[in-house]
């Protein structure tokens, strides 16, 4: 299996991964996402980002516990996650909130927006240092910096839980998956092996 | 009760309201008994048996009992009412309802002098409502109005949409419509109406009283704790639909503001 995975070009992951926001936007513009396409597009993109985040968090446990090696795709998955979050944020800013004065008010006053925005801001340095030059230049601190993704993941999961109305199971499943994948990394005595 | 004549003026002034399409109104719904996605009610509410149907009217009334839906309809005068609908989530529609005034139904049962509030309850049928297997909120769905709100001529029980019987996802066979309150007050598929002395519990305020008060009047000046209520987006405007300012009492200020004279609307939100 790992042999097959190794022959899979990373470019294919980027190629396929770049498509969904475009497809969703096209669907939203042509009635494929229902009669209130702005919210639908925003939610689809947010969920896509969370799903990609979960895939990214699963890479290390998959390698350790199932022997499946997806390490070569990790950077692509991380950058695609950032790309989905960015699309989600742009839809929120440009199509949903619209009113400039309210954007900052929402970020400051609405905890779920604050949490989501915090996750996005924390992702910026990670995306910006996702190049070989930064990896070499930052050395061991690159690895430490990129552990921030654990914080991003928890904030992302919380963001979804906090915005839902009523006790809904889906956001809790996402948060549960994120916390579960993080917990797999916290086995005592293995801290040195953390990635 | 008050007749249509007393509100003909304000209603005529609202005649320029352009109703949303049948498709908008029947495909984008909150009816959590059938699921929490906006499309779930349209997909799954057909499982609800709406005939036969009866409504229990009890509590502080002269003639308590189970009223058969067809008997109710034979007594009521059904008319068209084009109302704004503002959801607490920040979207809105304009809906051409058909229905009768709630005051007429209450008069049928005879409201006793001690009654101060009206409590409503939605059907709870786990075998027909796939959403109630999850405790999203406490089931059955319950709502309430102060008696003067319930008797207000704008308050109707809707039984139709665009001149057709109301679809299940919109609350068949009869649902409350209180146009100056957030949509969740307009309880669907009603099976019980009780006249009571004290303010009855309501589903969303049981879930979070801070976010969803008993009154739930549309008010652009009182924000929901998690989002602003100053603006709304009309459903059906597409991907680049602009937000519009939300109106006090959803545009029914003139007709209903007297009901709340002297009340702190932020406290009694």
């Amino acid at each position: 299996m790992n042999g097959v995975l190794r022959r899979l070009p990373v470019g294919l992951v980027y190629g396929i991964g770049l498509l969904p926001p475009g497809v969703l936007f096209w669907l939203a513009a042509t009635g494929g996402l229902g009669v209130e396409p702005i919210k639908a597009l925003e939610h689809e993109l947010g969920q896509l980002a969370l799903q990609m985040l979960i895939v990214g968090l699963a890479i290390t446990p998959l390698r350790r516990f199932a022997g499946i090696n997806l390490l070569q795709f990790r950077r692509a998955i991380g950058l695609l996650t950032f790309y989905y979050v960015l699309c989600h944020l742009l839809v929120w800013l440009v199509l949903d909130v619209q009113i400039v004065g309210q954007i900052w008010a929402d970020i400051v006053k609405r905890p779920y927006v604050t949490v989501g925005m915090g996750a996005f801001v924390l992702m910026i340095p990670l995306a910006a240092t996702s190049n070989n030059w930064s990896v070499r230049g930052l050395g061991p601190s690159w690895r430490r910096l990129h552990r921030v993704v654990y914080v991003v993941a928890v904030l992302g999961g919380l963001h979804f839980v906090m915005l839902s109305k009523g006790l809904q199971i889906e956001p809790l499943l996402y948060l549960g998956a994120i916390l579960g994948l993080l917990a797999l990394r916290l086995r005592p005595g293995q801290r040195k092996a953390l990635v | 009760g008050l007749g249509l004549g007393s509100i003909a003026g304000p209603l005529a002034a609202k005649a320029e309201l352009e109703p949303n399409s049948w498709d908008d109104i029947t495909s984008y719904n909150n009816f959590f008994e059938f699921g929490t996605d906006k499309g779930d009610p349209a997909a799954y509410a057909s499982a609800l048996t709406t005939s036969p149907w009866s409504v229990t009217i009890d509590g502080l009334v002269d003639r308590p009992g189970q009223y058969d839906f067809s008997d109710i309809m034979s007594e009521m005068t059904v008319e068209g009412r084009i109302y704004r609908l503002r959801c607490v989530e920040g979207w809105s529609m304009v809906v051409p309802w058909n229905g009768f005034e709630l005051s007429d139904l209450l008069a049928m049962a005879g409201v006793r002098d001690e009654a101060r509030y009206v409590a409503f309850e939605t059907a709870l049928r786990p075998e027909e409502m796939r959403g109630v297997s999850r405790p999203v909120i406490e089931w059955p769905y319950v709502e309430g109005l102060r008696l003067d709100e319930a008797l207000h001529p704008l308050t109707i029980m809707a039984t139709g949409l665009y001149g057709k019987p109301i679809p299940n996802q919109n609350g068949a066979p009869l649902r409350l419509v209180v146009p100056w309150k957030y949509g969740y007050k307009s309880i669907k598929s009603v099976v019980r109406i009780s006249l009571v002395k004290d303010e009855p519990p309501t589903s969303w305020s049981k879930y979070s009283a801070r976010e969803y008060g008993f009154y739930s009047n549309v008010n652009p000046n009182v924000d929901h704790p998690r989002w602003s209520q100053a603006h709304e987006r009309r459903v059906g405007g597409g991907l680049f639909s602009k937000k519009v300012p939300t109106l006090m009492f959803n545009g029914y200020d003139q007709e209903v503001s007297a009901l709340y004279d002297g009340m702190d609307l932020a406290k009694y939100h």
Side-chain angles (χ1 to χ4, degrees):
Chain A
M1 168 141 186
N2 286 334
V4 177
L5 287 172
R6 244 195 309 281
R7 277 194 295 280
L8 212 66
V10 174
L12 192 70
V13 173
Y14 281 112
I16 295 170
L18 284 170
L19 296 176
V23 172
L24 286 169
F25 189 86
W26 181 80
L27 282 174
T30 55
L33 292 186
V35 296
E36 226 294 62
I38 299 172
K39 275 286 169 207
L41 181 61
E42 190 178 292
H43 287 174
E44 291 290 336
L45 289 167
Q47 285 203 24
L48 198 58
L50 283 172
Q51 285 157 11
M52 212 54 168
L53 195 61
I54 288 168
V55 171
L57 288 179
I59 290 175
T60 293
L62 272 178
R63 191 170 62 123
R64 185 176 302 147
F65 302 112
I68 298 166
N69 188 356
L70 297 169
L71 274 184
Q72 58 177 327
F73 306 113
R74 191 161 58 180
R75 170 163 33 191
I77 287 166
L79 283 171
L80 286 170
T81 305
F82 180 72
Y83 163 59
Y84 296 158
V85 171
L86 185 65
C87 292
H88 170 70
L89 177 67
L90 284 173
V91 169
W92 178 72
L93 284 177
V94 178
L95 300 178
D96 187 0
V97 182
Q98 296 175 7
I99 299 143
V100 180
Q102 208 178 293
I103 293 169
W104 184 246
D106 272 0
I107 294 172
V108 182
K109 268 172 73 180
R110 321 276 170 213
Y112 85 88
V113 180
T114 318
V115 166
M117 194 55 84
F120 171 72
V121 169
L122 288 175
M123 285 185 93
I124 296 172
L126 306 190
T129 55
S130 286
N131 51 71
N132 291 335
W133 180 81
S134 296
V135 177
R136 274 195 303 273
L138 289 169
S141 47
W142 186 91
R143 190 163 274 211
R144 275 198 302 277
L145 172 65
H146 278 250
R147 282 191 193 142
V148 167
V149 77
Y150 303 150
V151 181
V152 169
V154 173
L155 291 177
L158 267 182
H159 172 68
F160 192 19
V161 169
M162 289 169 78
L163 63 83
S164 58
K165 201 169 138 222
L167 181 67
Q168 295 194 35
I169 194 134
E170 205 185 6
L172 293 174
L173 290 177
Y174 275 85
L175 182 62
I178 288 166
L179 294 177
L181 287 167
L182 293 183
L184 286 176
R185 291 164 158 81
L186 288 175
R187 299 203 320 170
Q190 290 209 354
R191 311 210 89 205
K192 285 260 148 55
L194 287 184
V195 177
Chain B
L2 288 151
L4 180 64
S6 59
I7 51 161
L11 280 185
K14 305 239 162 16
E16 80 277 9
L17 283 179
E18 178 72 26
N20 277 81
S21 69
W22 172 269
D23 192 40
D24 288 348
I25 299 167
T26 61
S27 72
Y28 194 77
N29 307 99
N30 277 327
F31 197 166
F32 280 14
E33 282 83 341
F34 299 102
T36 50
D37 278 350
K38 294 289 183 291
D40 283 343
Y44 304 117
S46 59
L48 182 69
T49 311
T50 57
S51 177
W53 192 274
S54 65
V55 182
T56 301
I57 306 181
D58 60 7
L60 303 168
V61 289
D62 298 327
R63 294 171 289 280
Q66 271 207 337
Y67 289 79
D68 190 77
F69 178 67
S70 49
D71 293 342
I72 292 173
M73 289 302 272
S74 66
E75 294 290 321
M76 297 292 125
T77 312
V78 173
E79 54 181 289
R81 294 281 179 97
I82 299 173
Y83 282 162
R84 276 182 246 276
L85 173 87
R86 169 62 154 83
C87 178
V88 72
E89 295 164 352
W91 53 268
S92 64
M93 293 190 191
V94 176
V95 185
W97 302 109
N98 308 96
F100 50 84
E101 291 184 12
L102 175 60
S103 63
D104 291 342
L105 181 63
L106 296 182
M108 196 171 145
V111 178
R112 284 167 43 190
D113 288 343
E114 315 91 89
R116 289 289 171 272
Y117 292 89
V118 188
F120 302 84
E121 191 178 309
T122 295
L124 174 57
R125 299 194 193 146
E127 66 286 357
E128 295 183 352
M129 297 171 149
R130 70 204 311 269
V132 301
S133 58
R134 290 179 180 176
V136 185
I137 48 174
E138 203 183 312
W139 314 111
Y141 196 87
V142 289
E143 258 306 337
L145 294 173
R146 222 170 53 191
L147 185 60
D148 56 348
E149 298 175 322
L151 296 177
H152 193 283
L154 285 179
T155 304
I156 61 167
M157 295 302 292
T159 56
L161 195 61
Y162 270 111
K164 292 181 233 181
I166 194 167
N168 286 7
Q169 61 266 37
N170 297 88
L174 83 169
R175 55 139 338 142
L176 181 69
V177 176
V178 195
W180 69 93
K181 292 175 180 283
Y182 292 118
Y184 62 88
K185 292 295 286 184
S186 293
I187 183 170
K188 292 170 173 154
S189 304
V190 171
V191 291
R192 179 181 227 106
I193 299 174
S194 307
L195 279 291
V196 293
K197 213 175 220 141
D198 301 313
E199 186 182 289
T202 67
S203 283
W204 281 105
S205 80
K206 277 195 283 183
Y207 169 73
S208 174
R210 197 175 67 91
E211 295 180 78
Y212 311 98
F214 175 79
Y215 286 93
S216 297
N217 292 316
V218 175
N219 188 339
N221 310 313
V222 177
D223 283 350
H224 183 279
R226 288 185 283 158
W227 55 83
S228 163
Q229 294 293 28
H231 294 84
E232 66 198 55
R233 187 161 49 233
R234 268 288 292 280
V235 167
L239 192 51
F240 305 101
S241 171
K242 286 280 158 242
K243 282 197 169 173
V244 294
T246 287
L247 303 170
M248 188 66 206
F249 293 115
N250 203 23
Y252 303 94
D253 196 358
Q254 264 193 310
E255 295 92 327
V256 303
S257 63
L259 294 173
Y260 310 103
D261 275 347
M263 275 176 75
D264 177 353
L265 295 178
K267 186 177 175 213
Y268 298 100
H269 65 87

